[in-house]
Amino acid sequence: AQSVTQPDIHITVSEGASLELRCNYSYGATPYLFWYVQSPGQGLQLLLKYFSGDTLVQGIKGFEAEFKRSQSSFNLRKPSVHWSDAAEYFCAVGDSGNTPLVFGKGTRLSVIA
Amino acid sequence: DTEVTQTPKHLVMGMTNKKSLKCEQHMGHRAMYWYKQKAKKPPELMFVYSYEKLSINESVPSRFSPECPNSSLLNLHLHALQPEDSALYLCASSPRSRGVPYNEQFFGPGTRLTVL
């Protein structure tokens, strides 16, 4: 069965600093990987996705993620965090079949001045 | 139109009430989903409709009754809910169709439900 682990429950970063949110997955075949962001009381917004090809994917709002098959990881990065990036971030894994997305437990990002 | 809309934004209901949540998308997606999300938790899948047919029911209590009248609309009928059903209810859609090998989901803003 697929699973996703986000090891960090809560991360605090200074505005302007770089950010890396970790995501590890367990899946037998090639996974389809997603990062979603959720602001308080809002729905989930897709930041980026990986299906195949270039392992470094660019997303919206200046985010990028790198797929590393050898480490079963899909970490999210941003070179300079803005206060508006404070939110909950979910990593998710899917496949090419009919199984639903599996979400990680989420990482809450706080941004301080 | 590239969004999923949900109404109402907020709903307060008593345990004996009957209410419905509505979700709509006009992106031509043929899969639609209901999720329940408690505070500080990831979304929990409730139901999946594929081509207007219920394809997944994640052992949801019968007090939640989904309906997909057409390819753009998804409803969730609520009856005799319990206070522990208070949560954010999210709708999503995906372009999943026969032969399309991915499962990217687009989420609505959610309905904040409070059961008294």
Side-chain angles (χ1 to χ4, degrees):
Chain A
Q2 302 168 58
S3 68
V4 178
T5 302
Q6 294 180 247
D8 304 303
I9 296 173
H10 183 205
I11 284 182
T12 299
V13 175
S14 297
E15 191 169 16
S18 63
L19 169 70
E20 183 169 30
L21 302 182
R22 296 182 292 164
C23 173
N24 292 97
Y25 67 89
S26 173
Y27 185 63
T30 299
Y32 295 85
L33 295 158
F34 306 86
W35 274 101
Y36 285 90
V37 62
Q38 185 178 33
S39 297
Q42 301 296 313
L44 278 69
Q45 182 182 23
L46 181 68
L47 284 176
L48 47 77
K49 61 194 178 193
Y50 172 77
F51 297 149
S52 64
D54 193 346
T55 56
L56 184 64
V57 293
Q58 303 296 322
I60 62 171
K61 304 186 181 191
F63 285 93
E64 66 177 28
E66 187 170 13
F67 171 61
K68 292 186 177 179
R69 185 187 298 275
S70 62
Q71 298 176 21
S72 297
S73 69
F74 188 57
N75 294 348
L76 182 71
R77 300 195 294 249
K78 186 170 185 178
S80 177
V81 168
H82 188 261
W83 64 266
S84 60
D85 293 324
E88 189 84 21
Y89 290 79
F90 293 100
C91 182
V93 63
D95 66 11
S96 59
N98 288 325
T99 55
L101 286 182
V102 174
F103 286 89
K105 292 187 186 300
T107 297
R108 182 162 59 97
L109 173 66
S110 296
V111 180
I112 58 175
Chain B
D1 189 346
T2 59
E3 64 173 2
V4 177
T5 59
Q6 290 187 244
T7 54
K9 287 192 188 326
H10 300 275
L11 178 61
V12 179
M13 60 187 290
M15 290 191 285
T16 58
N17 292 158
K18 284 186 182 181
K19 297 285 185 183
S20 296
L21 309 185
K22 178 181 171 182
C23 172
E24 200 160 3
Q25 58 87 15
H26 295 286
M27 295 180 278
H29 292 173
R30 300 311 298 272
M32 295 185 76
Y33 310 75
W34 279 116
Y35 288 87
K36 173 183 176 181
Q37 188 181 28
K38 299 286 253 184
K40 301 186 190 302
K41 298 289 186 186
E44 296 173 37
L45 183 66
M46 300 174 74
F47 303 104
V48 180
Y49 273 83
S50 183
Y51 289 85
E52 296 89 70
K53 288 186 168 39
L54 183 64
S55 62
I56 294 178
N57 176 342
E58 292 286 358
S59 303
V60 179
S62 59
R63 57 185 184 268
F64 295 92
S65 175
E67 178 197 19
C68 189
N70 59 57
S71 61
S72 300
L73 194 55
L74 186 66
N75 298 321
L76 186 62
H77 303 297
L78 314 172
H79 174 54
L81 294 194
Q82 304 297 309
E84 60 264 29
D85 297 321
S86 298
L88 182 68
Y89 286 84
L90 294 165
C91 174
S93 69
S94 73
R96 183 204 297 173
S97 41
R98 297 184 184 99
V100 176
Y102 61 87
N103 197 356
E104 176 181 347
Q105 293 182 27
F106 296 78
F107 283 82
T111 294
R112 174 71 60 191
L113 174 66
T114 303
V115 182
L116 300 177

